Amino acid sequence: DTGVSQNPRHKITKRGQNVTFRCDPISEHNRLYWYRQTLGQGPEFLTYFQNEAQLEKSRLLSDRFSAERPKGSFSTLEIQRTEQGDSAMYLCASSLALTSYEQYFGPGTRLTVT
Amino acid sequence: AQKVTQAQTEISVVEKEDVTLDCVYETRDTTYYLFWYKQPPSGELVFLIRRNSFDEQNEISGRYSWNFQKSTSSFNFTITASQVVDSAVYFCALSGTNYGGATNKLIFGTGTLLAVQP
């Protein structure tokens, strides 16, 4: 059973560019979560999906952020017109709703906006 | 509103010492879950334990033990006979329930950096 994978692991981009991250959850996990973590802080919730349905979005998720999970398997998180304040570690987690309560995290994608 | 407070920013101990990491939470939910995660220098969050709000029994797993007290809204984590490999940032987290009882988002504390010196 492979864990949660995220790609790329690192991304450096210039301010104003668009970036897209991918998350592959543990197979058969129907819930997928995105979090953002800045230095010295705990992860902050961004959004989550159950299968392909996006069930909740944080107020942190501005209009420049969009997430999809089109077939209920992998998910993408896109940031448009990146800003320096978007620099952070973006974490993905998955869980199996109704039978498991733990969220298992991937290694994260570190975004640096210059 | 839900909130998790980890007042200890950094703790430094010498190997083989016992250490307790504090966690205090706030929630209005009657059913909720509490978690501890470990984030080693490699960065990946590792799940350690989950407790639900109806089960206040303490739990022990090897050198790890957890003390859950609803009366003080605390969920503390003790490492007995610490080892250098325990050095990491430890996060306490809280989640409510919806959609049939499954947990939704995790609310994390700011973490405690534990440094175990040889």
Side-chain angles (χ1 to χ4, degrees):
Chain A
D1 185 19
T2 57
V4 177
S5 62
Q6 293 186 246
N7 287 289
R9 295 292 307 277
H10 303 274
K11 179 71 177 179
I12 300 174
T13 191
K14 292 185 178 179
R15 185 167 52 92
Q17 297 296 305
N18 299 345
V19 294
T20 300
F21 310 141
R22 175 176 170 132
C23 171
D24 288 88
I26 293 171
S27 58
E28 299 178 356
H29 277 194
N30 53 359
R31 286 203 167 185
L32 187 149
Y33 302 78
W34 286 99
Y35 293 84
R36 180 172 65 187
Q37 185 178 23
T38 53
L39 197 61
Q41 300 297 315
E44 294 177 299
F45 170 78
L46 294 179
T47 187
Y48 86 99
F49 295 83
Q50 178 154 321
N51 301 313
E52 62 275 9
Q54 189 172 20
L55 296 185
E56 185 175 349
K57 291 195 297 185
S58 165
R59 289 170 295 176
L60 292 175
L61 214 62
S62 77
D63 291 343
R64 298 184 297 105
F65 287 70
S66 63
E68 294 183 342
R69 196 183 182 198
K71 297 182 180 179
S73 56
F74 73 92
S75 174
T76 58
L77 177 68
E78 180 183 16
I79 309 175
Q80 295 182 328
R81 306 181 302 281
T82 52
E83 302 173 355
Q84 287 190 322
D86 297 331
S87 296
M89 177 76 84
Y90 289 84
L91 298 167
C92 176
S94 69
S95 71
L96 189 59
L98 302 183
T99 60
S100 172
Y101 303 97
E102 299 84 46
Q103 294 179 26
Y104 294 92
F105 283 80
T109 295
R110 181 167 295 284
L111 173 66
T112 302
V113 182
T114 62
Chain B
Q2 296 180 316
K3 184 179 179 181
V4 175
T5 301
Q6 294 181 256
Q8 302 154 308
T9 306
E10 292 186 35
I11 299 176
S12 182
V13 299
V14 177
E15 209 170 17
K16 299 185 182 177
E17 284 186 22
D18 299 347
V19 58
T20 295
L21 310 181
D22 298 333
C23 173
V24 174
Y25 63 92
E26 297 175 30
T27 182
R28 293 181 182 177
D29 290 345
T30 53
T31 301
Y32 53 89
Y33 292 83
L34 295 163
F35 303 81
W36 277 95
Y37 283 84
K38 175 182 180 180
Q39 190 172 42
S42 61
E44 192 159 338
L45 281 160
V46 177
F47 166 77
L48 295 177
I49 189 172
R50 167 185 60 86
R51 304 296 288 174
N52 71 52
S53 52
F54 296 110
D55 183 0
E56 288 192 68
Q57 282 192 340
N58 292 333
E59 183 158 340
I60 298 175
S61 176
R63 296 184 297 106
Y64 296 170
S65 62
W66 291 270
N67 180 263
F68 175 30
Q69 293 194 334
K70 286 180 75 171
S71 61
T72 56
S73 297
S74 65
F75 184 44
N76 296 336
F77 173 30
T78 298
I79 301 175
T80 302
S82 59
Q83 300 176 1
V84 173
V85 293
D86 296 326
S87 297
V89 180
Y90 290 86
F91 290 98
C92 180
L94 166 70
S95 180
T97 57
N98 66 7
Y99 299 104
T103 58
N104 52 3
K105 62 188 177 187
L106 293 174
I107 306 298
F108 285 86
T110 50
T112 298
L113 173 62
L114 174 64
V116 182
Q117 309 296 332

